[in-house]
Amino acid sequence: MGSTRIRLRQAFLRLLVQELAESQLKSLRGFFLRLDCDSDGVLSASDLGTGDGEDEMSVLLAVAGGQSLGFSDFVAVMLPFYVSVQEQQLRSAFKRLDLQSRDVLSRQVLQDMLQAQWRVAADELEDLLAGLPEELNFTDFKELLHLEK
């Protein structure tokens, strides 16, 4: 999966985090708190450099696109590996983007989401949306998230 596709996937996963129940977040919250060595509520490179799996966590930080990860970003990165997401939660996240209730997400909706969540510049949008159909249906959305374990 290319880095641009990973960034698009992360944007969708951030949206999905909002659908998770507290019981689904509990173990990740504990993991996050253990990694947050300076207890500032974000994971920085220095936090990640002191834990086991330093290389993997550094990669996760880079994938998230920043110098630090807040809890929601951390959950979005770890979600595919540690959380069983229910079909209804996926549908709810999809419907939150499907403002016109057409059961598809247009490229314009995707652009708007990327610009709002990632503050993606216009010239980067083409790279992020490259290879996607003009309209993304629910099946396409699920495939992009690639949550099967």
Side-chain angles (χ1 to χ4, degrees):
M1 188 180 288
S3 64
T4 55
R5 191 52 51 106
I6 290 170
R7 288 187 68 205
L8 182 59
R9 179 180 183 222
Q10 283 301 310
F12 284 138
L13 288 170
R14 284 180 183 195
L15 179 71
L16 185 56
V17 167
Q18 298 171 26
E19 302 299 325
L20 300 178
E22 182 57 36
S23 60
Q24 292 171 293
L25 298 172
K26 187 176 181 178
S27 64
L28 285 175
R29 188 178 313 284
F31 187 35
F32 180 88
L33 292 172
R34 283 191 301 279
L35 288 171
D36 185 13
C37 298
D38 56 9
S39 300
D40 64 353
V42 295
L43 299 181
S44 62
S46 63
D47 289 325
L48 299 177
T50 61
D52 292 336
E54 173 182 344
D55 294 335
E56 181 179 341
M57 293 307 290
S58 296
V59 168
L60 294 176
L61 183 62
V63 166
Q67 297 299 312
S68 62
L69 284 173
F71 181 66
S72 291
D73 294 330
F74 174 77
V75 172
V77 169
M78 302 301 282
L79 186 142
F81 309 104
Y82 293 100
V83 178
S84 291
V85 178
Q86 305 299 314
E87 178 89 6
Q88 185 55 40
Q89 292 171 311
L90 289 169
R91 287 196 182 280
S92 184
F94 181 83
K95 286 186 181 288
R96 202 158 351 112
L97 290 173
D98 183 16
L99 301 176
Q100 297 174 345
S101 299
R102 296 180 340 134
D103 293 327
V104 292
L105 305 177
S106 68
R107 286 179 82 82
Q108 185 61 52
V109 166
L110 297 177
Q111 279 182 242
D112 293 346
M113 179 198 64
L114 290 167
Q115 288 178 313
Q117 280 199 354
W118 288 83
R119 293 172 179 49
V120 173
D123 58 335
E124 280 187 85
L125 283 172
E126 277 306 309
D127 288 340
L128 287 172
L129 299 175
L132 291 180
E134 283 300 312
E135 294 183 322
L136 199 70
N137 63 31
F138 181 67
T139 301
D140 298 329
F141 177 75
K142 283 185 359 180
E143 287 174 8
L144 183 65
L145 289 173
H146 192 64
L147 293 174
E148 296 79 31
K149 292 181 175 136

PDB file of all heavy atoms in Angstrom, residues 126-141:
ATOM      1  N   GLU A 126      -4.814  15.274  -5.683  1.00  0.00           N
ATOM      2  CA  GLU A 126      -4.809  14.363  -6.824  1.00  0.00           C
ATOM      3  C   GLU A 126      -4.065  13.074  -6.508  1.00  0.00           C
ATOM      4  O   GLU A 126      -4.512  11.990  -6.869  1.00  0.00           O
ATOM      5  CB  GLU A 126      -4.214  15.038  -8.063  1.00  0.00           C
ATOM      6  CG  GLU A 126      -5.201  15.881  -8.815  1.00  0.00           C
ATOM      7  CD  GLU A 126      -6.471  15.131  -9.206  1.00  0.00           C
ATOM      8  OE1 GLU A 126      -6.381  14.025  -9.789  1.00  0.00           O
ATOM      9  OE2 GLU A 126      -7.557  15.649  -8.910  1.00  0.00           O
ATOM     10  N   ASP A 127      -2.923  13.203  -5.823  1.00  0.00           N
ATOM     11  CA  ASP A 127      -2.169  12.004  -5.448  1.00  0.00           C
ATOM     12  C   ASP A 127      -2.961  11.116  -4.500  1.00  0.00           C
ATOM     13  O   ASP A 127      -2.964   9.900  -4.632  1.00  0.00           O
ATOM     14  CB  ASP A 127      -0.840  12.376  -4.785  1.00  0.00           C
ATOM     15  CG  ASP A 127       0.169  12.933  -5.769  1.00  0.00           C
ATOM     16  OD1 ASP A 127       0.016  12.688  -6.977  1.00  0.00           O
ATOM     17  OD2 ASP A 127       1.102  13.621  -5.320  1.00  0.00           O
ATOM     18  N   LEU A 128      -3.617  11.733  -3.523  1.00  0.00           N
ATOM     19  CA  LEU A 128      -4.384  10.963  -2.540  1.00  0.00           C
ATOM     20  C   LEU A 128      -5.590  10.264  -3.160  1.00  0.00           C
ATOM     21  O   LEU A 128      -5.956   9.173  -2.741  1.00  0.00           O
ATOM     22  CB  LEU A 128      -4.846  11.864  -1.389  1.00  0.00           C
ATOM     23  CG  LEU A 128      -3.751  12.288  -0.430  1.00  0.00           C
ATOM     24  CD1 LEU A 128      -4.274  13.328   0.542  1.00  0.00           C
ATOM     25  CD2 LEU A 128      -3.190  11.101   0.324  1.00  0.00           C
ATOM     26  N   LEU A 129      -6.202  10.902  -4.145  1.00  0.00           N
ATOM     27  CA  LEU A 129      -7.414  10.343  -4.739  1.00  0.00           C
ATOM     28  C   LEU A 129      -7.137   9.521  -5.997  1.00  0.00           C
ATOM     29  O   LEU A 129      -8.049   8.918  -6.557  1.00  0.00           O
ATOM     30  CB  LEU A 129      -8.403  11.467  -5.045  1.00  0.00           C
ATOM     31  CG  LEU A 129      -8.872  12.265  -3.821  1.00  0.00           C
ATOM     32  CD1 LEU A 129      -9.760  13.422  -4.242  1.00  0.00           C
ATOM     33  CD2 LEU A 129      -9.589  11.369  -2.824  1.00  0.00           C
ATOM     34  N   ALA A 130      -5.884   9.482  -6.412  1.00  0.00           N
ATOM     35  CA  ALA A 130      -5.523   8.739  -7.628  1.00  0.00           C
ATOM     36  C   ALA A 130      -5.915   7.273  -7.495  1.00  0.00           C
ATOM     37  O   ALA A 130      -5.702   6.643  -6.464  1.00  0.00           O
ATOM     38  CB  ALA A 130      -4.023   8.862  -7.890  1.00  0.00           C
ATOM     39  N   GLY A 131      -6.496   6.752  -8.541  1.00  0.00           N
ATOM     40  CA  GLY A 131      -6.872   5.347  -8.564  1.00  0.00           C
ATOM     41  C   GLY A 131      -8.210   5.032  -7.939  1.00  0.00           C
ATOM     42  O   GLY A 131      -8.680   3.901  -8.008  1.00  0.00           O
ATOM     43  N   LEU A 132      -8.822   6.016  -7.299  1.00  0.00           N
ATOM     44  CA  LEU A 132     -10.152   5.789  -6.736  1.00  0.00           C
ATOM     45  C   LEU A 132     -11.203   6.053  -7.802  1.00  0.00           C
ATOM     46  O   LEU A 132     -11.008   6.900  -8.673  1.00  0.00           O
ATOM     47  CB  LEU A 132     -10.413   6.719  -5.551  1.00  0.00           C
ATOM     48  CG  LEU A 132      -9.619   6.477  -4.278  1.00  0.00           C
ATOM     49  CD1 LEU A 132     -10.022   7.485  -3.225  1.00  0.00           C
ATOM     50  CD2 LEU A 132      -9.824   5.071  -3.762  1.00  0.00           C
ATOM     51  N   PRO A 133     -12.332   5.351  -7.711  1.00  0.00           N
ATOM     52  CA  PRO A 133     -13.408   5.642  -8.659  1.00  0.00           C
ATOM     53  C   PRO A 133     -13.987   7.035  -8.396  1.00  0.00           C
ATOM     54  O   PRO A 133     -13.748   7.623  -7.331  1.00  0.00           O
ATOM     55  CB  PRO A 133     -14.442   4.546  -8.364  1.00  0.00           C
ATOM     56  CG  PRO A 133     -14.128   4.067  -6.989  1.00  0.00           C
ATOM     57  CD  PRO A 133     -12.663   4.300  -6.769  1.00  0.00           C
ATOM     58  N   GLU A 134     -14.728   7.563  -9.360  1.00  0.00           N
ATOM     59  CA  GLU A 134     -15.366   8.880  -9.185  1.00  0.00           C
ATOM     60  C   GLU A 134     -16.294   8.886  -7.979  1.00  0.00           C
ATOM     61  O   GLU A 134     -16.456   9.914  -7.319  1.00  0.00           O
ATOM     62  CB  GLU A 134     -16.138   9.283 -10.444  1.00  0.00           C
ATOM     63  CG  GLU A 134     -15.252   9.770 -11.562  1.00  0.00           C
ATOM     64  CD  GLU A 134     -14.427  10.997 -11.181  1.00  0.00           C
ATOM     65  OE1 GLU A 134     -14.989  11.963 -10.622  1.00  0.00           O
ATOM     66  OE2 GLU A 134     -13.219  10.989 -11.455  1.00  0.00           O
ATOM     67  N   GLU A 135     -16.913   7.756  -7.722  1.00  0.00           N
ATOM     68  CA  GLU A 135     -17.772   7.615  -6.548  1.00  0.00           C
ATOM     69  C   GLU A 135     -17.372   6.343  -5.808  1.00  0.00           C
ATOM     70  O   GLU A 135     -17.145   5.307  -6.419  1.00  0.00           O
ATOM     71  CB  GLU A 135     -19.243   7.549  -6.950  1.00  0.00           C
ATOM     72  CG  GLU A 135     -19.739   8.834  -7.562  1.00  0.00           C
ATOM     73  CD  GLU A 135     -21.220   8.800  -7.888  1.00  0.00           C
ATOM     74  OE1 GLU A 135     -21.710   7.751  -8.316  1.00  0.00           O
ATOM     75  OE2 GLU A 135     -21.872   9.836  -7.685  1.00  0.00           O
ATOM     76  N   LEU A 136     -17.264   6.467  -4.504  1.00  0.00           N
ATOM     77  CA  LEU A 136     -16.842   5.359  -3.653  1.00  0.00           C
ATOM     78  C   LEU A 136     -18.076   4.797  -2.965  1.00  0.00           C
ATOM     79  O   LEU A 136     -18.744   5.510  -2.209  1.00  0.00           O
ATOM     80  CB  LEU A 136     -15.856   5.907  -2.618  1.00  0.00           C
ATOM     81  CG  LEU A 136     -14.940   4.964  -1.883  1.00  0.00           C
ATOM     82  CD1 LEU A 136     -13.898   4.401  -2.825  1.00  0.00           C
ATOM     83  CD2 LEU A 136     -14.258   5.698  -0.747  1.00  0.00           C
ATOM     84  N   ASN A 137     -18.396   3.514  -3.217  1.00  0.00           N
ATOM     85  CA  ASN A 137     -19.539   2.920  -2.526  1.00  0.00           C
ATOM     86  C   ASN A 137     -19.070   2.300  -1.210  1.00  0.00           C
ATOM     87  O   ASN A 137     -17.886   2.312  -0.884  1.00  0.00           O
ATOM     88  CB  ASN A 137     -20.270   1.910  -3.430  1.00  0.00           C
ATOM     89  CG  ASN A 137     -19.416   0.722  -3.809  1.00  0.00           C
ATOM     90  OD1 ASN A 137     -18.542   0.296  -3.056  1.00  0.00           O
ATOM     91  ND2 ASN A 137     -19.656   0.181  -4.986  1.00  0.00           N
ATOM     92  N   PHE A 138     -20.006   1.735  -0.463  1.00  0.00           N
ATOM     93  CA  PHE A 138     -19.679   1.186   0.853  1.00  0.00           C
ATOM     94  C   PHE A 138     -18.661   0.054   0.748  1.00  0.00           C
ATOM     95  O   PHE A 138     -17.744  -0.046   1.569  1.00  0.00           O
ATOM     96  CB  PHE A 138     -20.949   0.724   1.572  1.00  0.00           C
ATOM     97  CG  PHE A 138     -20.691   0.169   2.937  1.00  0.00           C
ATOM     98  CD1 PHE A 138     -20.228   0.987   3.953  1.00  0.00           C
ATOM     99  CD2 PHE A 138     -20.888  -1.179   3.203  1.00  0.00           C
ATOM    100  CE1 PHE A 138     -19.968   0.475   5.219  1.00  0.00           C
ATOM    101  CE2 PHE A 138     -20.639  -1.700   4.459  1.00  0.00           C
ATOM    102  CZ  PHE A 138     -20.177  -0.878   5.469  1.00  0.00           C
ATOM    103  N   THR A 139     -18.790  -0.789  -0.250  1.00  0.00           N
ATOM    104  CA  THR A 139     -17.844  -1.894  -0.441  1.00  0.00           C
ATOM    105  C   THR A 139     -16.445  -1.355  -0.701  1.00  0.00           C
ATOM    106  O   THR A 139     -15.456  -1.852  -0.133  1.00  0.00           O
ATOM    107  CB  THR A 139     -18.298  -2.804  -1.602  1.00  0.00           C
ATOM    108  OG1 THR A 139     -19.605  -3.309  -1.285  1.00  0.00           O
ATOM    109  CG2 THR A 139     -17.346  -3.955  -1.817  1.00  0.00           C
ATOM    110  N   ASP A 140     -16.340  -0.333  -1.546  1.00  0.00           N
ATOM    111  CA  ASP A 140     -15.035   0.304  -1.808  1.00  0.00           C
ATOM    112  C   ASP A 140     -14.456   0.882  -0.518  1.00  0.00           C
ATOM    113  O   ASP A 140     -13.253   0.771  -0.254  1.00  0.00           O
ATOM    114  CB  ASP A 140     -15.167   1.442  -2.828  1.00  0.00           C
ATOM    115  CG  ASP A 140     -15.662   0.981  -4.187  1.00  0.00           C
ATOM    116  OD1 ASP A 140     -15.371  -0.161  -4.581  1.00  0.00           O
ATOM    117  OD2 ASP A 140     -16.360   1.781  -4.848  1.00  0.00           O
ATOM    118  N   PHE A 141     -15.307   1.520   0.270  1.00  0.00           N
ATOM    119  CA  PHE A 141     -14.916   2.119   1.548  1.00  0.00           C
ATOM    120  C   PHE A 141     -14.332   1.048   2.473  1.00  0.00           C
ATOM    121  O   PHE A 141     -13.250   1.218   3.038  1.00  0.00           O
ATOM    122  CB  PHE A 141     -16.151   2.787   2.164  1.00  0.00           C
ATOM    123  CG  PHE A 141     -15.957   3.405   3.511  1.00  0.00           C
ATOM    124  CD1 PHE A 141     -15.290   4.610   3.661  1.00  0.00           C
ATOM    125  CD2 PHE A 141     -16.491   2.802   4.646  1.00  0.00           C
ATOM    126  CE1 PHE A 141     -15.142   5.203   4.907  1.00  0.00           C
ATOM    127  CE2 PHE A 141     -16.348   3.379   5.891  1.00  0.00           C
ATOM    128  CZ  PHE A 141     -15.673   4.583   6.024  1.00  0.00           C
TER     129      PHE A 141
END
